[in-house]
Amino acid sequence: MSVKLHWFLPTTGDGRTIVERFHASKSSGPRAQRPADLEYLAQVARAAEQQGFEGVLTPTGTWCEDAWLTTAALIQETRKLKFLVAFRPGVISPTLAAQMAGTFQRLSQGRVLLNIVTGGDAVEQRRFGDWHDHDARYARTDEFLTIVRGVWSGQPFDFAGEHLKVEGATTLAAPDPVPPIYFGGSSPAALPVAARHADVYLTWGEPPAQVAEKIGKVRELAEAAGRTVRFGVRLHTITRDTSAEAWAEAQKLLDALSPEQVAKSQAVLSASESVGQQRMVALHGGRLGSGVRGLEIHPGLWAGVGLVRGGAGTALVGSHEEVADLIEEYHAAGVSEFVLSGYPHLEEAYWFGEGVRPELARRGLLADVPLLRRDGNAERDAAAL
């Protein structure tokens, strides 16, 4: 089975460090951050499309731009690229979500994928007006997805649950094709919901053995429900022509972090209700002083990103061949989709696309899809960055 590759849209802004200086002083020089405006996001989306990525994940939260509006604006900037739209089922009507997805699917000619983010941070959920506790949020997501699929049936749909109730729910037309549902969550409350509803179960980038263990649990639950689920992993990537160059880039990212930034971030992340986030924190233990290789938790898997970034906190680091080796290892563990990102997202899309993607194709892990080129010269496009 070949793998599918996705990239990431940095809708909170982008730059050459993990944590950008949003308010640089005159003495520190101009800020490095690239604002998440439509022009820059279109560059990232086009780069992902040109380098053969199937889609781009667009995050959700109060810290970034809205995923629905941003991706809808980018439809005309791309031709084939799909948009993996993240949204929170607790802050939107399931009928409205079904309608929005159906409209998006028709306007984009079938280019929408849906990423369900139940939410593991009570503080952020309350910003949206959601006061459910962790397990209740997943129970509500279960009902939400039941309603969404019911609405997509094309017939008026009735449902009465503990958290949600609709009568005669319907929309103008069912989406064609029905958008695949991507779903993440590591807690006992999350896994059964994933088994019942997910087309693709997403996990953050733990070492392959831990990912394989989680995949086994979800697969067993899905089989008991009479379903088949595919599996994906969310990772960052730092790939270069040589391993030394890649680790030097990781060192630069680490050097840009201050102990104060790490301590502040870890205080917030360690308090998260998310089991997945707790597992990410446990991988590095906040070890800023251990050096760049001290944060290597598996050959080529670096946990330094998670010192200051919530969610996906690990990166594939190495030469193009070494990164391909690790992707092959995840694939052997059952992973068929990879949602990747890097700093900055524009340049790193080219590094991965031109370096790792051909290597994966040579190994038979990637369908042989020609790269999309504006002028027939991908090398000249890359040099213009």
Side-chain angles (χ1 to χ4, degrees):
M1 178 189 296
S2 61
V3 301
K4 291 184 178 180
L5 302 172
H6 306 269
W7 198 242
F8 184 84
L9 281 178
T11 56
T12 192
D14 200 8
R16 296 181 179 275
T17 64
I18 303 171
V19 177
E20 289 297 322
R21 297 175 177 84
F22 285 84
H23 303 289
S25 65
K26 292 182 179 178
S27 61
S28 64
R31 64 184 184 184
Q33 194 211 18
R34 304 172 187 179
D37 56 31
L38 188 59
E39 180 179 356
Y40 181 68
L41 294 176
Q43 289 184 59
V44 176
R46 286 192 294 267
E49 184 171 68
Q50 290 155 11
Q51 293 305 312
F53 290 96
E54 172 136 336
V56 285
L57 170 63
T58 309
T60 180
T62 55
W63 47 270
C64 59
E65 299 289 3
D66 176 71
W68 289 103
L69 294 174
T70 301
T71 53
L74 292 170
I75 293 174
Q76 297 300 314
E77 301 289 341
T78 54
R79 291 183 287 160
K80 295 182 179 180
L81 190 70
K82 296 179 181 179
F83 295 96
L84 181 49
V85 181
F87 71 98
R88 297 171 189 256
V91 299
I92 187 174
S93 154
T95 305
L96 178 59
Q99 181 185 42
M100 292 167 66
T103 300
F104 200 135
Q105 194 72 311
R106 284 184 288 279
L107 295 180
S108 68
Q109 297 182 320
R111 292 195 282 151
V112 66
L113 314 167
L114 298 178
N115 181 30
I116 307 301
V117 180
T118 298
D121 184 349
V123 173
E124 185 173 34
Q125 290 300 120
R126 289 168 186 168
R127 294 174 190 155
F128 287 107
D130 178 17
W131 294 81
H132 282 59
D133 64 28
H134 177 276
D135 288 1
R137 290 197 292 271
Y138 279 102
R140 181 182 56 197
T141 295
D142 195 355
E143 296 180 5
F144 181 96
L145 292 174
T146 298
I147 294 171
V148 167
R149 291 198 184 275
V151 173
W152 286 343
S153 71
Q155 301 296 322
F157 185 73
D158 296 339
F159 180 87
E162 181 181 355
H163 304 281
L164 299 170
K165 181 178 180 179
V166 296
E167 292 183 359
T170 187
T171 62
L172 174 66
D176 183 20
V178 170
I181 289 179
Y182 291 65
F183 183 98
S186 299
S187 69
L191 298 186
V193 182
R196 285 191 289 271
H197 295 285
D199 296 301
V200 179
Y201 174 77
L202 280 178
T203 181
W204 289 325
E206 300 173 17
Q210 292 176 237
V211 169
E213 181 182 4
K214 194 182 297 184
I215 283 174
K217 291 178 181 178
V218 176
R219 181 177 283 134
E220 182 178 353
L221 289 169
E223 289 175 351
R227 301 187 69 248
T228 300
V229 178
R230 303 191 306 278
F231 299 94
V233 64
R234 172 78 180 92
L235 290 154
H236 305 278
T237 178
I238 306 172
T239 180
R240 295 294 186 270
D241 294 335
T242 69
S243 182
E245 289 175 298
W247 282 105
E249 290 299 319
Q251 183 67 61
K252 290 178 184 178
L253 293 179
L254 190 64
D255 289 344
L257 304 179
S258 70
E260 293 76 20
Q261 285 175 319
V262 173
K264 183 177 180 179
S265 296
Q266 287 303 300
V268 173
L269 298 176
S270 299
S272 173
E273 293 178 323
S274 167
V275 173
Q277 185 62 70
Q278 293 169 7
R279 291 168 71 108
M280 282 283 102
V281 170
L283 293 177
H284 54 69
R287 301 189 304 271
L288 178 61
S290 58
V292 66
R293 297 305 286 256
L295 291 162
E296 187 180 16
I297 57 173
H298 178 85
L301 186 65
W302 185 60
V305 179
L307 291 174
V308 291
R309 187 195 191 280
T314 52
L316 308 173
V317 182
S319 68
H320 307 312
E321 293 78 12
E322 289 169 339
V323 169
D325 288 342
L326 192 45
I327 288 176
E328 195 166 10
E329 189 175 352
Y330 277 111
H331 184 254
V335 175
S336 61
E337 301 205 18
F338 292 81
V339 183
L340 306 169
S341 55
Y343 300 95
H345 291 74
L346 181 60
E347 288 91 328
E348 290 298 332
Y350 281 96
W351 275 112
F352 186 94
E354 295 177 346
V356 181
R357 191 174 179 276
E359 181 64 26
L360 294 175
R362 281 192 289 271
R363 301 181 188 200
L365 291 176
L366 198 62
D368 187 16
V369 179
L371 299 185
L372 295 175
R373 302 172 183 176
R374 289 192 298 272
D375 60 4
N377 191 325
E379 293 174 345
R380 185 161 66 248
D381 285 347
L385 287 176

